[in-house]
Amino acid sequence: MNKQFQSQIAKRLGNEFSGLYSIETNQLLQRKGFLVILKNWKFKAIRHLATDYGNPGFFSPSRLPAPIVISEKFLQEAGTVFPLEFSVFKSHYQLILGDDLLKDLKIEAVSLVRECDREIKQKMLSFCSSTIACGLQAKELQNILKKLTAEILEILAAILRASGSEDGCAVTDIVAKFALLAELELPHFDLLVKLIVTKGKIDRKICTDAIEQIAEEFDLVGGVIAGWAKNGIP
């Protein structure tokens, strides 16, 4: 988004504008986008943004997803209602204009771990179905594992943030830090992350030769998070 449109958003939204954030996560998670916070949710703000979004220069140099638009009231409840998503926002968004309301957002740890438990169970269901559907073909497994690794890594990073263990943690260290917290050994999961970060892909041989160990490690992670959802993070 160029600077002309950054200032234009605030001007067009007028008194309803609170803040504009950009997001660009690490090369593994690959999230990009914008968050607009309004003082009060008004559809006319959506109308203004829809008009601007149609301008070819709005998200230059490349077209990005339409911005997420929320109100200040929505944000106040988000730490409990959508703790995982807003934990990611709080960690990765950078303030461009306006008031930094995300800075003081409280993420409720109990709600976060419970959502992580639901999310990882859903990811594992999808993984099983996708693996069966692809017939264990190496090329398809590469894509499935790359997507799942990124999704689970985002969950682990959120858990570490809730436990106070994530500060300054490089993306390649997340699995090791989680494994230490959970008292697990996750060598194959750790290797997947490092391969994606360094090479941008997972070797086919690893997909075919180590798929069983990889799946079992993902299941171990899910079991630990399920226990923490009931009893809290140690």
Side-chain angles (χ1 to χ4, degrees):
M1 182 188 293
N2 62 43
K3 291 184 178 180
Q4 175 188 351
F5 284 101
Q6 291 174 17
S7 58
Q8 183 174 325
I9 284 179
K11 182 178 179 180
R12 284 170 68 83
L13 297 181
N15 293 333
E16 293 301 330
F17 175 80
S18 285
L20 171 65
Y21 295 80
S22 67
I23 182 173
E24 186 165 355
T25 61
N26 57 65
Q27 63 270 46
L28 189 69
L29 303 180
Q30 296 181 337
R31 282 187 182 228
K32 292 184 178 181
F34 294 91
L35 172 69
V36 177
I37 300 180
L38 305 172
K39 293 189 184 303
N40 298 286
W41 196 93
K42 301 286 186 181
F43 187 77
K44 66 179 181 180
I46 303 300
R47 189 184 300 279
H48 287 318
L49 291 171
T51 301
D52 290 335
Y53 185 70
N55 187 311
F58 189 69
F59 287 116
S60 63
S62 60
R63 190 81 166 169
L64 293 174
I68 297 167
V69 182
I70 62 172
S71 66
E72 291 185 9
K73 182 176 183 299
F74 185 102
L75 180 65
Q76 291 169 4
E77 301 167 349
T80 301
V81 181
F82 299 108
L84 177 56
E85 188 73 6
F86 278 82
S87 174
V88 175
F89 288 172
K90 187 177 172 71
S91 177
H92 294 293
Y93 270 82
Q94 297 295 321
L95 181 68
I96 297 175
L97 287 173
D99 300 323
D100 191 359
L101 302 177
L102 276 177
K103 179 180 66 175
D104 297 324
L105 175 66
K106 302 299 182 185
I107 304 295
E108 187 179 284
V110 173
S111 298
L112 172 66
V113 178
R114 287 174 179 167
E115 186 176 7
C116 288
D117 180 35
R118 289 192 298 271
E119 284 292 315
I120 206 164
K121 283 181 168 63
Q122 182 59 50
K123 305 303 182 193
M124 288 301 294
L125 288 173
S126 177
F127 167 69
C128 293
S129 299
S130 300
T131 302
I132 292 169
C134 82
L136 293 174
Q137 295 299 309
K139 185 176 181 180
E140 284 78 8
L141 277 178
Q142 283 178 297
N143 294 328
I144 291 169
L145 285 174
K146 183 176 180 181
K147 181 175 183 290
L148 181 63
T149 298
E151 291 172 340
I152 294 182
L153 197 73
E154 188 170 79
I155 291 171
L156 301 195
I159 292 283
L160 291 176
R161 284 194 292 273
S163 71
S165 306
E166 198 259 353
D167 289 345
C169 182
V171 64
T172 50
D173 296 332
I174 290 174
V175 174
K177 279 208 168 188
F178 178 86
L180 183 64
L181 180 66
E183 299 182 343
L184 294 176
E185 292 186 3
L186 304 169
H188 296 88
F189 187 11
D190 193 42
L191 178 60
L192 288 185
V193 173
K194 288 179 169 63
L195 284 173
I196 296 171
V197 171
T198 59
K199 295 185 176 182
K201 63 180 181 179
I202 302 169
D203 295 341
R204 288 193 180 193
K205 184 173 176 57
I206 291 175
C207 290
T208 53
D209 293 356
I211 183 65
E212 186 172 337
Q213 293 93 328
I214 292 167
E216 287 175 357
E217 287 182 16
F218 285 156
D219 187 58
L220 285 173
V221 169
V224 167
I225 293 175
W228 290 347
K230 294 178 182 177
N231 304 313
I233 302 174

